[in-house]
Amino acid sequence: MGWKSILFISLLTFSYAQETPKMLHAHSIEVKYTAMDGSVKEVTVARDSDLRCRDIPFDGKTFWSEEYPLKTVPEFCKKSFITTAGQLSPMKIDEKIDTYGELEVLEFLDEMQEDQNMLFVDSRKKEWYEARTIPGSHNIPFIYFTEKGKWEKKKQEALTLLGIKITKEGYDFSEAKTVLFFCNGVWCRQSPQMIEALLEMGYPPEKMKWYRGGLQSWLNVGMTSIIP
């Protein structure tokens, strides 16, 4: 692509941005997901930026004085979250398990669109998943693996989705998928508990990834979410 073509696209993008309150950033991908009614839908996953915020002179006092965010900050420039109970997780769960940030999650989602051996798992309970989740995720509640003897049918379905086979000798992980797990936030123990349970079963740690920030971090930086 020549410089004239790039310039034309840049000018077109800038023109569009001036007429549109929200504009998708460069890191954006198209993700397909299955809705609760069984239909397959597609959504653009990216960081949404309200262009009006670019005209507001932010400084240290604007960000950190009094309550966060400051009451004088326009509503369209704010992202709110709840401070709740929980236990802060370390940066690494296991030395062989990669900890992901938002860009790594986007890269994983992008590759997953073409690779059936990759799986993005929301490990929270069903009611949390149904309230809001990250596009492209499958809901496998952690309790299927931590509450032994209670969810056997659901656990069997989850094992199939993860690519785990049950043989006379035990669990067969030869076709286990590469899985990225997340839950509510750095204070949430649901995905760590699921990962710990799978490690105990023998799931290869090099095939597991963990998005430590979870949904709270995802929403706090303005990433696309859905109500499945």
PDB file of all heavy atoms in Angstrom, residues 59-74:
ATOM      1  N   ASP A  59      -5.393  16.463  34.217  1.00  0.00           N
ATOM      2  CA  ASP A  59      -4.104  16.547  34.920  1.00  0.00           C
ATOM      3  C   ASP A  59      -4.190  15.660  36.163  1.00  0.00           C
ATOM      4  O   ASP A  59      -5.169  14.952  36.383  1.00  0.00           O
ATOM      5  CB  ASP A  59      -3.770  17.991  35.295  1.00  0.00           C
ATOM      6  CG  ASP A  59      -4.870  18.655  36.118  1.00  0.00           C
ATOM      7  OD1 ASP A  59      -5.613  17.917  36.821  1.00  0.00           O
ATOM      8  OD2 ASP A  59      -4.989  19.883  36.058  1.00  0.00           O
ATOM      9  N   GLY A  60      -3.143  15.705  36.999  1.00  0.00           N
ATOM     10  CA  GLY A  60      -3.098  14.844  38.176  1.00  0.00           C
ATOM     11  C   GLY A  60      -4.254  15.067  39.130  1.00  0.00           C
ATOM     12  O   GLY A  60      -4.846  14.112  39.654  1.00  0.00           O
ATOM     13  N   LYS A  61      -4.616  16.337  39.358  1.00  0.00           N
ATOM     14  CA  LYS A  61      -5.707  16.621  40.291  1.00  0.00           C
ATOM     15  C   LYS A  61      -7.045  16.138  39.741  1.00  0.00           C
ATOM     16  O   LYS A  61      -7.900  15.659  40.478  1.00  0.00           O
ATOM     17  CB  LYS A  61      -5.761  18.119  40.577  1.00  0.00           C
ATOM     18  CG  LYS A  61      -4.603  18.618  41.430  1.00  0.00           C
ATOM     19  CD  LYS A  61      -4.767  20.098  41.768  1.00  0.00           C
ATOM     20  CE  LYS A  61      -3.635  20.571  42.668  1.00  0.00           C
ATOM     21  NZ  LYS A  61      -3.775  22.009  42.998  1.00  0.00           N
ATOM     22  N   THR A  62      -7.226  16.271  38.428  1.00  0.00           N
ATOM     23  CA  THR A  62      -8.470  15.802  37.813  1.00  0.00           C
ATOM     24  C   THR A  62      -8.654  14.309  38.045  1.00  0.00           C
ATOM     25  O   THR A  62      -9.746  13.834  38.344  1.00  0.00           O
ATOM     26  CB  THR A  62      -8.463  16.074  36.298  1.00  0.00           C
ATOM     27  OG1 THR A  62      -8.170  17.447  36.073  1.00  0.00           O
ATOM     28  CG2 THR A  62      -9.802  15.735  35.676  1.00  0.00           C
ATOM     29  N   PHE A  63      -7.548  13.574  37.921  1.00  0.00           N
ATOM     30  CA  PHE A  63      -7.627  12.122  38.049  1.00  0.00           C
ATOM     31  C   PHE A  63      -7.711  11.656  39.494  1.00  0.00           C
ATOM     32  O   PHE A  63      -8.505  10.772  39.815  1.00  0.00           O
ATOM     33  CB  PHE A  63      -6.397  11.471  37.396  1.00  0.00           C
ATOM     34  CG  PHE A  63      -6.584  11.157  35.947  1.00  0.00           C
ATOM     35  CD1 PHE A  63      -6.366  12.117  34.972  1.00  0.00           C
ATOM     36  CD2 PHE A  63      -6.994   9.900  35.556  1.00  0.00           C
ATOM     37  CE1 PHE A  63      -6.540  11.821  33.626  1.00  0.00           C
ATOM     38  CE2 PHE A  63      -7.168   9.589  34.209  1.00  0.00           C
ATOM     39  CZ  PHE A  63      -6.950  10.556  33.250  1.00  0.00           C
ATOM     40  N   TRP A  64      -6.905  12.232  40.385  1.00  0.00           N
ATOM     41  CA  TRP A  64      -6.718  11.612  41.688  1.00  0.00           C
ATOM     42  C   TRP A  64      -7.252  12.393  42.880  1.00  0.00           C
ATOM     43  O   TRP A  64      -7.233  11.888  43.994  1.00  0.00           O
ATOM     44  CB  TRP A  64      -5.229  11.339  41.910  1.00  0.00           C
ATOM     45  CG  TRP A  64      -4.606  10.573  40.793  1.00  0.00           C
ATOM     46  CD1 TRP A  64      -3.554  10.964  40.023  1.00  0.00           C
ATOM     47  CD2 TRP A  64      -4.988   9.282  40.301  1.00  0.00           C
ATOM     48  NE1 TRP A  64      -3.264  10.008  39.084  1.00  0.00           N
ATOM     49  CE2 TRP A  64      -4.123   8.965  39.238  1.00  0.00           C
ATOM     50  CE3 TRP A  64      -5.982   8.370  40.668  1.00  0.00           C
ATOM     51  CZ2 TRP A  64      -4.216   7.778  38.530  1.00  0.00           C
ATOM     52  CZ3 TRP A  64      -6.073   7.185  39.964  1.00  0.00           C
ATOM     53  CH2 TRP A  64      -5.196   6.895  38.910  1.00  0.00           C
ATOM     54  N   SER A  65      -7.717  13.633  42.725  1.00  0.00           N
ATOM     55  CA  SER A  65      -8.236  14.391  43.861  1.00  0.00           C
ATOM     56  C   SER A  65      -9.603  13.868  44.295  1.00  0.00           C
ATOM     57  O   SER A  65     -10.389  13.373  43.482  1.00  0.00           O
ATOM     58  CB  SER A  65      -8.365  15.877  43.485  1.00  0.00           C
ATOM     59  OG  SER A  65      -7.098  16.421  43.202  1.00  0.00           O
ATOM     60  N   GLU A  66      -9.890  14.023  45.605  1.00  0.00           N
ATOM     61  CA  GLU A  66     -11.164  13.608  46.176  1.00  0.00           C
ATOM     62  C   GLU A  66     -11.489  12.167  45.779  1.00  0.00           C
ATOM     63  O   GLU A  66     -10.653  11.289  45.834  1.00  0.00           O
ATOM     64  CB  GLU A  66     -12.277  14.580  45.737  1.00  0.00           C
ATOM     65  CG  GLU A  66     -12.039  16.025  46.179  1.00  0.00           C
ATOM     66  CD  GLU A  66     -13.117  16.957  45.672  1.00  0.00           C
ATOM     67  OE1 GLU A  66     -14.190  16.484  45.267  1.00  0.00           O
ATOM     68  OE2 GLU A  66     -12.876  18.170  45.681  1.00  0.00           O
ATOM     69  N   GLU A  67     -12.730  11.938  45.343  1.00  0.00           N
ATOM     70  CA  GLU A  67     -13.098  10.595  44.917  1.00  0.00           C
ATOM     71  C   GLU A  67     -12.578  10.356  43.504  1.00  0.00           C
ATOM     72  O   GLU A  67     -12.329  11.281  42.747  1.00  0.00           O
ATOM     73  CB  GLU A  67     -14.623  10.422  44.949  1.00  0.00           C
ATOM     74  CG  GLU A  67     -15.219  10.511  46.350  1.00  0.00           C
ATOM     75  CD  GLU A  67     -16.714  10.262  46.341  1.00  0.00           C
ATOM     76  OE1 GLU A  67     -17.253   9.917  45.275  1.00  0.00           O
ATOM     77  OE2 GLU A  67     -17.327  10.417  47.396  1.00  0.00           O
ATOM     78  N   TYR A  68     -12.410   9.077  43.173  1.00  0.00           N
ATOM     79  CA  TYR A  68     -11.970   8.733  41.817  1.00  0.00           C
ATOM     80  C   TYR A  68     -13.125   8.072  41.080  1.00  0.00           C
ATOM     81  O   TYR A  68     -13.678   7.086  41.559  1.00  0.00           O
ATOM     82  CB  TYR A  68     -10.781   7.770  41.874  1.00  0.00           C
ATOM     83  CG  TYR A  68     -10.391   7.219  40.523  1.00  0.00           C
ATOM     84  CD1 TYR A  68      -9.777   8.039  39.583  1.00  0.00           C
ATOM     85  CD2 TYR A  68     -10.673   5.903  40.177  1.00  0.00           C
ATOM     86  CE1 TYR A  68      -9.441   7.544  38.334  1.00  0.00           C
ATOM     87  CE2 TYR A  68     -10.337   5.408  38.934  1.00  0.00           C
ATOM     88  CZ  TYR A  68      -9.718   6.231  38.024  1.00  0.00           C
ATOM     89  OH  TYR A  68      -9.384   5.746  36.787  1.00  0.00           O
ATOM     90  N   PRO A  69     -13.519   8.574  39.895  1.00  0.00           N
ATOM     91  CA  PRO A  69     -13.005   9.801  39.280  1.00  0.00           C
ATOM     92  C   PRO A  69     -13.640  11.055  39.885  1.00  0.00           C
ATOM     93  O   PRO A  69     -14.677  10.970  40.530  1.00  0.00           O
ATOM     94  CB  PRO A  69     -13.410   9.658  37.812  1.00  0.00           C
ATOM     95  CG  PRO A  69     -14.666   8.849  37.878  1.00  0.00           C
ATOM     96  CD  PRO A  69     -14.487   7.895  39.032  1.00  0.00           C
ATOM     97  N   LEU A  70     -13.011  12.188  39.671  1.00  0.00           N
ATOM     98  CA  LEU A  70     -13.492  13.454  40.211  1.00  0.00           C
ATOM     99  C   LEU A  70     -14.903  13.749  39.707  1.00  0.00           C
ATOM    100  O   LEU A  70     -15.242  13.481  38.559  1.00  0.00           O
ATOM    101  CB  LEU A  70     -12.540  14.579  39.779  1.00  0.00           C
ATOM    102  CG  LEU A  70     -12.628  15.899  40.555  1.00  0.00           C
ATOM    103  CD1 LEU A  70     -12.193  15.701  41.990  1.00  0.00           C
ATOM    104  CD2 LEU A  70     -11.742  16.954  39.891  1.00  0.00           C
ATOM    105  N   LYS A  71     -15.720  14.341  40.565  1.00  0.00           N
ATOM    106  CA  LYS A  71     -17.120  14.591  40.209  1.00  0.00           C
ATOM    107  C   LYS A  71     -17.263  15.537  39.016  1.00  0.00           C
ATOM    108  O   LYS A  71     -18.268  15.520  38.315  1.00  0.00           O
ATOM    109  CB  LYS A  71     -17.867  15.161  41.412  1.00  0.00           C
ATOM    110  CG  LYS A  71     -18.049  14.186  42.572  1.00  0.00           C
ATOM    111  CD  LYS A  71     -18.871  14.816  43.685  1.00  0.00           C
ATOM    112  CE  LYS A  71     -19.152  13.826  44.817  1.00  0.00           C
ATOM    113  NZ  LYS A  71     -17.928  13.439  45.528  1.00  0.00           N
ATOM    114  N   THR A  72     -16.264  16.399  38.794  1.00  0.00           N
ATOM    115  CA  THR A  72     -16.371  17.361  37.699  1.00  0.00           C
ATOM    116  C   THR A  72     -16.051  16.768  36.338  1.00  0.00           C
ATOM    117  O   THR A  72     -16.265  17.411  35.312  1.00  0.00           O
ATOM    118  CB  THR A  72     -15.423  18.549  37.952  1.00  0.00           C
ATOM    119  OG1 THR A  72     -14.089  18.053  38.142  1.00  0.00           O
ATOM    120  CG2 THR A  72     -15.849  19.335  39.185  1.00  0.00           C
ATOM    121  N   VAL A  73     -15.534  15.544  36.310  1.00  0.00           N
ATOM    122  CA  VAL A  73     -15.234  14.897  35.032  1.00  0.00           C
ATOM    123  C   VAL A  73     -16.557  14.541  34.346  1.00  0.00           C
ATOM    124  O   VAL A  73     -17.440  13.942  34.960  1.00  0.00           O
ATOM    125  CB  VAL A  73     -14.391  13.622  35.240  1.00  0.00           C
ATOM    126  CG1 VAL A  73     -14.185  12.890  33.920  1.00  0.00           C
ATOM    127  CG2 VAL A  73     -13.058  13.961  35.872  1.00  0.00           C
ATOM    128  N   PRO A  74     -16.731  14.878  33.074  1.00  0.00           N
ATOM    129  CA  PRO A  74     -17.978  14.567  32.361  1.00  0.00           C
ATOM    130  C   PRO A  74     -18.288  13.073  32.391  1.00  0.00           C
ATOM    131  O   PRO A  74     -17.379  12.237  32.342  1.00  0.00           O
ATOM    132  CB  PRO A  74     -17.695  15.036  30.930  1.00  0.00           C
ATOM    133  CG  PRO A  74     -16.618  16.061  31.077  1.00  0.00           C
ATOM    134  CD  PRO A  74     -15.773  15.609  32.224  1.00  0.00           C
TER     135      PRO A  74
END
